[in-house]
Amino acid sequence: MPAINGTNTTPTRPLRPGVWAPIPTFFLPNSQDLDIPTLKKHVIHIAHANIGILLCGSMGEAHHLSPEERILVITSAREALDSAGLHSIPIIAGTGAGSTRETIKLSKEAAQAGADYSIVIPSGYFTGALASDRAALKTFFKEVSEASPIPVMIYNYPGASGGIDMDSDLIEEMAMELPNVCGVKLTCGNGIVARADRTVAVTGIAGTKWMMEKRYGYGGVCRRPLSPLSNQAGETLLVHRHVTDIERLEKEIEMQKGLERKHLKNGVTIPNGNGVTKTATNGVSVSSTTPSPSGNSAFSSTSNASSSPETPTTSDAPSPVLSSSPVTATAAALGKKTKGAHSRSGSLTSSIRSLVGSRKGKKTVV
């Protein structure tokens, strides 16, 4: 029987249902060297909130990182999690590169550095040759997944791959035929989280980092040539309805989790409607979960967060947040995949458009 989430290895840290946040890569403001202490702080903060860790993706500015820097980011995140006693938390790491050869090499190095899964986007440099060549795209993922020592996620983001847009038929074919493919990250979704994602995406990575700086006191700058977001554009973003909606939702979740921890300590049984019942024994939280199916049927989308996060954490962990910032839960898009289509940027206020530039029709990660 195939192993869960891939066949080239049996993961010691299986994927869990829930939200997986794309983690920004942090840089020192003057030298633009990696800011490893801030990265470690943020990774622990996110993991304590029951959020999965995804490194070196689009939000992580993987395109701006050297291969050595990608590996340092992965190694540092694994060290941070282990130092906080979060040994069971898996890491998904972006290993897509310009060629099949380099992607395979990065996947192997990421595994050695502590990544449990890779997420791979096709290179957009030769879009003219690849975008309409289904066989070439399928061969790319076949060769990468067969050579990768860790399970591989397909990443379909036309906006970051020169317009390469893999439809559902191709993705389903690869899911059925490539046993070491374990999931897919799509640019589709709807609902409160997805709307906030699309709104902030108009401002780019700089907008996400501006929000983080505002809310958490860290975020910093992007690597040049990406420019920082102006305070005027940031303040306009801050009061946008989609952003205030997600912040209201976060506050409700924080209150709910606070009550749950209080009830658990008092020995109250709490069903959550997702096959999980939590109770308390002598003040210690106990969880019983419905087993998930094994084999390649475990193929799932990181864009689907319909079930509650089950990443292990202590009952005294800090109150949860939905993502690396209030509005960057890319993996939390609460929508369904549509065949051969992906959602585009939603309607935004004219004030935001005038401040950050019109991006009509721009496809975004949600």
Side-chain angles (χ1 to χ4, degrees):
M1 178 180 292
I4 297 175
N5 298 323
T7 60
N8 285 4
T9 184
T10 301
T12 56
R13 290 179 279 261
L15 289 174
R16 303 296 184 97
V19 177
W20 294 78
I23 304 299
T25 301
F26 301 94
F27 305 103
L28 298 174
N30 295 322
S31 66
Q32 298 225 319
D33 290 339
L34 293 177
D35 184 353
I36 296 300
T38 298
L39 172 72
K40 289 184 173 183
K41 175 182 177 181
H42 186 60
V43 165
I44 293 172
H45 172 65
I46 294 301
H48 272 151
N50 275 355
I51 306 296
I53 305 298
L54 193 157
L55 303 168
C56 301
S58 304
M59 178 59 62
E61 298 184 59
H63 186 68
H64 287 166
L65 304 179
S66 68
E68 294 76 17
E69 286 177 321
R70 288 207 209 190
I71 298 308
L72 179 56
V73 165
I74 297 167
T75 302
S76 300
R78 185 73 265 163
E79 289 175 353
L81 292 170
D82 291 346
S83 69
L86 302 170
H87 305 282
S88 63
I89 304 297
I91 289 176
I92 303 173
T95 60
S99 68
T100 303
R101 173 189 172 94
E102 184 66 16
T103 302
I104 291 171
K105 181 173 181 291
L106 269 173
S107 298
K108 291 179 178 179
E109 292 174 350
Q112 293 176 349
D116 302 282
Y117 304 86
S118 70
I119 183 166
V120 175
I121 188 170
S123 171
Y125 191 84
F126 294 107
T127 297
L130 289 175
S132 60
D133 193 339
R134 294 168 59 88
L137 290 169
K138 189 173 179 179
T139 299
F140 168 72
F141 280 102
K142 179 178 186 296
E143 292 177 348
V144 169
S145 64
E146 287 178 349
S148 173
I150 51 179
V152 174
M153 281 189 171
I154 298 167
Y155 185 11
N156 189 53
Y157 181 14
S161 60
I164 295 175
D165 192 357
M166 295 174 285
D167 61 28
S168 297
D169 290 337
L170 177 57
I171 292 172
E172 288 172 4
E173 282 179 26
M174 292 190 287
M176 296 296 293
E177 298 174 19
L178 307 180
N180 200 38
V181 166
C182 67
V184 59
K185 182 175 184 292
L186 301 171
T187 61
C188 57
N190 206 343
I192 292 176
V193 174
R195 286 195 297 271
D197 271 352
R198 287 196 295 273
T199 299
V200 176
V202 171
T203 66
I205 298 172
T208 296
K209 290 194 167 185
W210 190 94
M211 292 286 292
M212 291 181 66
E213 194 74 48
K214 189 76 172 179
R215 292 306 188 209
Y216 303 124
Y218 62 86
V221 297
C222 306
R223 262 195 179 161
R224 291 187 290 271
L226 294 181
S227 300
L229 190 71
S230 71
N231 285 332
Q232 184 182 7
E235 294 295 342
T236 302
L237 178 67
L238 200 61
V239 297
H240 191 281
R241 178 172 57 85
H242 294 166
V243 176
T244 58
D245 282 349
I246 195 69
E247 291 191 322
R248 173 181 50 78
L249 179 61
E250 282 193 349
K251 290 178 181 177
E252 292 174 359
I253 291 175
E254 288 175 0
M255 291 178 61
Q256 179 183 351
K257 290 296 183 180
L259 287 173
E260 182 177 316
R261 287 194 295 271
K262 180 179 179 181
H263 289 325
L264 285 171
K265 289 181 178 180
N266 292 333
V268 179
T269 299
I270 308 169
N272 71 0
N274 288 302
V276 180
T277 300
K278 297 182 179 180
T279 186
T281 305
N282 297 326
V284 179
S285 130
V286 179
S287 298
S288 62
T289 63
T290 303
S292 59
S294 60
N296 207 40
S297 60
F299 186 90
S300 62
S301 167
T302 59
S303 292
N304 184 354
S306 58
S307 55
S308 298
E310 296 177 21
T311 306
T313 186
T314 63
S315 60
D316 293 324
S319 297
V321 292
L322 283 178
S323 62
S324 35
S325 77
V327 282
T328 58
T330 298
L334 305 178
K336 295 183 178 179
K337 175 179 62 174
T338 54
K339 193 169 185 177
H342 304 281
S343 56
R344 296 174 181 267
S345 299
S347 60
L348 307 175
T349 61
S350 58
S351 56
I352 288 182
R353 285 196 179 279
S354 63
L355 287 169
V356 302
S358 175
R359 296 176 64 177
K360 185 177 180 181
K362 179 71 174 178
K363 296 181 181 179
T364 60
V365 172
V366 293

